[in-house]
Amino acid sequence: MAALGLGGLSAAARRKSGPARNAAVERRNLITVCRFSVKTLIDRSCFETIDDSSPEFSNFAAILEQILSHRLKGQVSWFGYESPRSFWDYIRVACRKVSPGCICSIESMENVGSSRAKGRAWIRVALMEKHLSEYISTALRDFKTTRRFYEDGAIVLGEEANMLAGMLLGLNAIDFSFCLKGEGLDGSFPAVIDYTPYLKFTQSSDSISSDEEELRTLGSSGSEGSTPENVGPPFITDENSWYNKCKRVEHKYRLALEQKGYLEELVRLRENQLSQSVSQNKLLLQRIEDMHLAHKMEKEQLEYIIVELQDQLKSFHSLEQLSAEVSLSQSSLEPGHSQDGKQDGISLLHEGKEDTPSLLGLCGSLTSVASYKSLTSLKSSECLASPTTEMTSPGLTPS
């Protein structure tokens, strides 16, 4: 009985672990394939514009739609029936606070009727606006709304959700161009993921079966119409794919070479401009130094002129004082005054005489005096008195 109980418990545990493992594997597969599709889109954008006709974008849109629809709850009606929902119902509620947002414009689109078609239109508009990662991050932060729309085990409720927002951030570097009236917005059919571009099988050297044996087996087991002619096209297709890859690499190399030449020419032009700027800067510095030196010399000359003017101004004041004294002396030498006053004025003039050029003006003023004749006559009479007396002395009288 104990063994039966243990066997029953192990079987129940296996039954419970089976769905959990399947859900984990499904989440891991979708996230991994989404990362591959994002890398493929980035690589493809280096050669051509991404639009609805690109198979890489169609596969990415299908993967993102599967991720956002993973374990999405249905809408329960009043009668207890559950109707399916689209991920657009969740995005419309969770991303209503994104500014500027395209939610209202998609809701008002006339050619998009179903909820699935609106969700596909939202993916295209968000990619063209380069805000898809922002929309997803905002929706995931609203955990209450996310919990209301999704069941336990959904990708948007697990740790993979943060990885999803980070992966979609690289798509902001791509310029998308979509037509919102194409067949990609038809919501009548579900999205199908093409896993073949991301599958890679490496056959080991000790494998039992080889490609040649398998082809030989297929050729011998089939009819004549199924011999190497029917097996050939896959190899031709593979060769074509390699040829296309070589063409892409060659085109990428040519673009890089052209960009290298353009950058070298641009660097050369910038070096020439830099050398010209350096030479002009040297000339301007030399001119500034010359102007500074000339300004310094002009300043010194102006200071010397100011000093000379100050000296002349002082001498002018001294001349004015002397002229005032001379005018006083002239007024004392007029005819109405006495002989003693004249002698006092003359002695005053002799005492105030200086050996300076300023006395020239004083002498000029004295010669212009009206009473100069009377002064000279006075001096001559005084000077002639002594010789007459000498000549009339008794010892010198003629016989």
Side-chain angles (χ1 to χ4, degrees), residues 34 37 59-70 87 122-123 127 132 136 164 168 171 193:
C34 182
S37 64
N59 213 25
F60 168 76
I63 294 169
L64 185 60
E65 187 174 343
Q66 289 286 345
I67 290 175
L68 295 177
S69 301
H70 183 249
F87 69 92
W122 168 76
I123 292 175
L127 285 173
L132 181 60
I136 296 297
L164 177 64
L168 298 178
L171 298 177
I193 302 174

Side-chain angles (χ1 to χ4, degrees), residues 16-250:
K16 290 182 179 179
S17 63
R21 176 187 175 277
N22 294 338
V25 170
E26 186 179 8
R27 292 196 302 269
R28 187 167 60 251
N29 290 340
L30 287 174
I31 291 296
T32 304
V33 173
C34 182
R35 184 170 66 252
F36 290 159
S37 64
V38 169
K39 291 182 178 180
T40 307
L41 276 175
I42 294 174
D43 293 339
R44 173 64 65 179
S45 65
C46 297
F47 305 103
E48 60 184 20
T49 304
I50 305 298
D51 52 9
D52 288 299
S53 62
S54 176
E56 288 81 7
F57 169 73
S58 300
N59 213 25
F60 168 76
I63 294 169
L64 185 60
E65 187 174 343
Q66 289 286 345
I67 290 175
L68 295 177
S69 301
H70 183 249
R71 300 185 70 84
L72 184 66
K73 292 181 181 179
Q75 187 175 6
V76 181
S77 62
W78 287 97
F79 301 100
Y81 297 103
E82 185 175 356
S83 58
R85 268 179 176 171
S86 174
F87 69 92
W88 168 249
D89 299 327
Y90 163 67
I91 293 296
R92 179 173 53 84
V93 177
C95 298
R96 64 184 181 273
K97 296 181 181 179
V98 177
S99 178
C102 60
I103 305 297
C104 297
S105 60
I106 292 175
E107 283 286 346
S108 61
M109 292 176 67
E110 298 179 355
N111 59 327
V112 180
S114 63
S115 179
R116 182 181 293 175
K118 290 180 179 179
R120 293 174 179 175
W122 168 76
I123 292 175
R124 286 160 173 79
V125 173
L127 285 173
M128 287 190 290
E129 292 181 351
K130 303 182 185 297
H131 292 313
L132 181 60
S133 177
E134 182 180 356
Y135 279 109
I136 296 297
S137 301
T138 304
L140 295 177
R141 284 196 296 267
D142 192 356
F143 189 76
K144 184 177 180 181
T145 304
T146 306
R147 173 66 67 181
R148 182 160 58 92
F149 277 88
Y150 288 92
E151 299 177 356
D152 294 335
I155 294 178
V156 296
L157 292 176
E159 297 178 356
E160 295 86 357
N162 297 326
M163 298 172 59
L164 177 64
M167 284 187 295
L168 298 178
L169 189 62
L171 298 177
N172 294 340
I174 303 176
D175 295 329
F176 294 93
S177 177
F178 301 114
C179 179
L180 301 180
K181 297 182 180 180
E183 297 179 355
L185 299 181
D186 188 6
S188 59
F189 59 91
V192 179
I193 302 174
D194 184 14
Y195 292 95
T196 54
Y198 316 117
L199 297 177
K200 183 178 180 181
F201 174 72
T202 304
Q203 190 173 9
S204 61
S205 60
D206 56 350
S207 178
I208 298 175
S209 62
S210 61
D211 295 336
E212 290 80 5
E213 292 178 357
E214 291 177 359
L215 291 175
R216 193 180 303 111
T217 303
L218 291 174
S220 61
S221 61
S223 58
E224 294 180 357
S226 61
T227 57
E229 288 81 7
N230 292 337
V231 181
F235 289 96
I236 296 173
T237 305
D238 190 41
E239 291 177 359
N240 289 334
S241 65
W242 281 108
Y243 178 76
N244 293 331
K245 288 181 180 179
C246 292
K247 283 290 184 183
R248 293 172 188 171
V249 172
E250 183 180 0

Side-chain angles (χ1 to χ4, degrees), residues 138-381:
T138 304
L140 295 177
R141 284 196 296 267
D142 192 356
F143 189 76
K144 184 177 180 181
T145 304
T146 306
R147 173 66 67 181
R148 182 160 58 92
F149 277 88
Y150 288 92
E151 299 177 356
D152 294 335
I155 294 178
V156 296
L157 292 176
E159 297 178 356
E160 295 86 357
N162 297 326
M163 298 172 59
L164 177 64
M167 284 187 295
L168 298 178
L169 189 62
L171 298 177
N172 294 340
I174 303 176
D175 295 329
F176 294 93
S177 177
F178 301 114
C179 179
L180 301 180
K181 297 182 180 180
E183 297 179 355
L185 299 181
D186 188 6
S188 59
F189 59 91
V192 179
I193 302 174
D194 184 14
Y195 292 95
T196 54
Y198 316 117
L199 297 177
K200 183 178 180 181
F201 174 72
T202 304
Q203 190 173 9
S204 61
S205 60
D206 56 350
S207 178
I208 298 175
S209 62
S210 61
D211 295 336
E212 290 80 5
E213 292 178 357
E214 291 177 359
L215 291 175
R216 193 180 303 111
T217 303
L218 291 174
S220 61
S221 61
S223 58
E224 294 180 357
S226 61
T227 57
E229 288 81 7
N230 292 337
V231 181
F235 289 96
I236 296 173
T237 305
D238 190 41
E239 291 177 359
N240 289 334
S241 65
W242 281 108
Y243 178 76
N244 293 331
K245 288 181 180 179
C246 292
K247 283 290 184 183
R248 293 172 188 171
V249 172
E250 183 180 0
H251 180 65
K252 189 174 181 179
Y253 172 74
R254 289 178 180 176
L255 288 176
L257 190 62
E258 292 177 358
Q259 291 178 358
K260 178 177 175 292
Y262 170 74
L263 291 176
E264 288 179 351
E265 184 66 23
L266 188 62
V267 169
R268 192 178 300 110
L269 291 174
R270 292 295 181 267
E271 287 179 352
N272 294 333
Q273 292 178 358
L274 181 61
S275 62
Q276 292 177 3
S277 300
V278 169
S279 61
Q280 292 178 1
N281 190 18
K282 289 181 179 178
L283 292 175
L284 290 175
L285 290 175
Q286 186 64 31
R287 290 178 60 184
I288 289 172
E289 290 180 358
D290 296 341
M291 292 176 65
H292 181 69
L293 183 60
H295 176 69
K296 186 176 181 181
M297 294 177 65
E298 290 179 358
K299 184 179 179 182
E300 292 177 354
Q301 292 178 359
L302 290 174
E303 289 177 353
Y304 181 72
I305 291 171
I306 289 171
V307 172
E308 286 186 351
L309 290 175
Q310 289 178 353
D311 294 338
Q312 291 180 5
L313 185 62
K314 290 179 180 179
S315 63
F316 180 74
H317 286 305
S318 63
L319 288 175
E320 285 183 350
Q321 292 176 359
L322 288 174
S323 63
E325 293 176 357
V326 169
S327 62
L328 291 174
S329 63
Q330 289 176 358
S331 61
S332 63
L333 292 175
E334 287 180 356
H337 294 279
S338 62
Q339 190 74 19
D340 296 333
K342 291 180 181 180
Q343 292 177 357
D344 294 337
I346 292 170
S347 63
L348 180 64
L349 287 175
H350 283 290
E351 290 176 358
K353 183 178 180 181
E354 296 178 358
D355 296 334
T356 57
S358 60
L359 292 176
L360 294 175
L362 181 59
C363 295
S365 61
L366 288 174
T367 55
S368 62
V369 177
S371 61
Y372 179 71
K373 293 181 179 181
S374 61
L375 181 62
T376 53
S377 62
L378 179 61
K379 286 183 178 182
S380 61
S381 62

